[in-house]
Amino acid sequence: MGLTGRWIAIQSFKHDGALHRSWDRGYVLENNDDFIVIATKKAKVVESNGRRWFTKEPAVTIFSKKEWWNAICMLKNEGICYYCNIASPAIIHKSFIKYIDYDLDVKLFPDKHVRVLDEKEFIHHGASYGYSEDLNKVLRYQTNEIVKQMNAGYFPFEDEKIREYYNRFLSEISKE
């Protein structure tokens, strides 16, 4: 049976296989060969150190299955803020979406300003986990490509499409 229209949990790992962070559930809006789209509202998040918290803003998250990224599209009062994790392509395993988080992040603010984040963390973990030269090339390439996509307004960085997904989510869960 397909995942669309179901709730699924999300797990983020580090390069060494250690669980980094988990979300209790996201509602699957789309699952195709290229990506998984989920929506959340007040999702419970558990950090590797046991800290628990709930997301503040509703969000639509797109997990790429082929490219090295996932994008959390947070619907804030001032507009949509995109937080893109440079991460392994997502897989679905049992009842989880799983991926490896590679620290580098790119944020697109509602005013369309783009900022690359966590460079020091990426360098530190690259050394401590022993990222290969090939992996570093892939991650740097993907970071540059995401910046280009953000600046050009290409999917998934399209406000109207994200609002459509979120409105569909609200409509579908109101029927539950």
Side-chain angles (χ1 to χ4, degrees):
M1 186 183 286
L3 286 177
T4 303
R6 300 173 135 212
W7 294 93
I8 191 168
I10 300 106
Q11 292 180 322
S12 167
F13 295 87
K14 285 299 182 186
H15 187 74
D16 66 354
L19 185 62
H20 172 55
R21 182 176 291 135
S22 62
W23 291 259
D24 65 339
R25 64 188 201 151
Y27 186 83
V28 181
L29 292 166
E30 193 168 335
N31 179 27
N32 60 43
D33 290 342
D34 297 320
F35 52 84
I36 308 157
V37 179
I38 66 153
T40 57
K41 192 174 177 182
K42 295 193 186 310
K44 182 168 78 174
V45 181
V46 180
E47 303 284 346
S48 60
N49 64 7
R51 183 174 153 259
R52 297 168 189 275
W53 52 279
F54 289 87
T55 57
K56 292 179 191 169
E57 296 92 11
V60 172
T61 304
I62 293 92
F63 295 92
S64 177
K65 292 181 177 180
K66 295 180 178 177
E67 297 179 38
W68 291 70
W69 59 265
N70 59 66
I72 303 166
C73 316
M74 297 168 281
L75 290 92
K76 297 177 176 255
N77 290 336
E78 62 272 17
I80 299 175
C81 184
Y82 297 87
Y83 193 93
C84 190
N85 294 299
I86 303 304
S88 68
I91 61 165
I92 298 169
H93 180 250
K94 298 185 179 176
S95 58
F96 294 92
I97 296 171
K98 297 181 177 188
Y99 66 92
I100 299 170
D101 183 313
Y102 281 103
D103 309 312
L104 279 173
D105 302 303
V106 186
K107 191 169 183 178
L108 173 62
F109 295 86
D111 68 0
K112 303 306 175 196
H113 173 77
V114 175
R115 183 180 303 155
V116 176
L117 306 169
D118 301 329
E119 182 80 26
K120 288 180 184 175
E121 186 180 1
F122 171 72
I123 291 167
H124 171 74
H125 281 152
S128 63
Y129 293 134
Y131 297 171
S132 70
E133 188 177 324
D134 287 344
L135 179 59
N136 273 314
K137 283 181 185 175
V138 167
L139 300 174
R140 293 283 185 191
Y141 172 81
Q142 190 64 77
T143 302
N144 291 333
E145 288 301 302
I146 286 298
V147 169
K148 289 178 191 172
Q149 282 178 255
M150 286 177 167
N151 285 326
Y154 294 153
F155 184 83
F157 311 108
E158 299 174 279
D159 291 0
E160 195 57 40
K161 184 69 174 167
I162 298 308
R163 283 190 187 89
E164 284 174 25
Y165 277 130
Y166 190 69
N167 289 334
R168 192 169 113 212
F169 164 67
L170 292 176
S171 174
E172 289 184 24
I173 64 167
S174 72
K175 297 172 189 171
E176 287 186 346

